[in-house]
Amino acid sequence: MVEVAQKAAEAARTAGIGVEVIDLRTLVPMDTETVLQSVEKTGRVVIVTEAPRTAGFHSEISATIAEEAIEFLRAPIVRVTGYDAPYPPFTAIEDVYRPNPLRVAKAIKKVMAY
């Protein structure tokens, strides 16, 4: 999802919105310090994952931010995820299931408009 996030970030930059993309290469241990520094700096968070919306690690990231940096948030955390449905068995519909730059760009606009 890093490539998807980077494409959306580039589109946002073209529209005059500065975006910071963090690639969490490991989840355990999670680079909490980098995430929290970004929240303090930007005041906004969009989490992108191809995992289903419910019960994913992205929820743990959101909880950590809420517990440790809520005072810095200027907008609600927005998650761009896969859907709460089985992953499609056919690559032809995989692109409909997975987040894409357009969905991420809409999330960026949403947190900026808050």
Side-chain angles (χ1 to χ4, degrees):
M1 292 286 92
V2 173
E3 183 178 338
V4 169
Q6 288 174 333
K7 286 180 182 178
E10 186 56 39
R13 285 185 195 103
T14 301
I17 301 169
V19 176
E20 186 170 270
V21 176
I22 297 172
D23 178 7
L24 290 177
R25 295 196 176 254
T26 63
L27 300 177
V28 180
M30 181 172 77
D31 187 357
T32 305
E33 183 179 336
T34 296
V35 172
L36 297 178
Q37 286 173 354
S38 181
V39 173
E40 184 174 353
K41 179 174 146 185
T42 65
R44 293 171 172 85
V45 178
V46 174
I47 299 172
V48 183
T49 180
E50 62 190 32
R53 185 168 186 81
T54 303
F57 196 84
H58 54 280
S59 297
E60 184 65 30
I61 297 168
S62 295
T64 299
I65 293 166
E67 290 171 355
E68 299 187 34
I70 198 161
E71 68 272 18
F72 300 113
L73 287 175
R74 297 173 59 191
I77 298 168
V78 175
R79 297 172 293 161
V80 182
T81 67
Y83 297 102
D84 284 335
Y87 197 84
F90 307 108
T91 56
I93 59 173
E94 183 177 275
D95 289 336
V96 175
Y97 178 88
R98 297 176 64 207
N100 59 45
L102 180 60
R103 285 178 57 201
V104 177
K106 285 181 181 180
I108 292 169
K109 288 180 183 176
K110 181 177 180 177
V111 298
M112 293 305 296
Y114 191 82

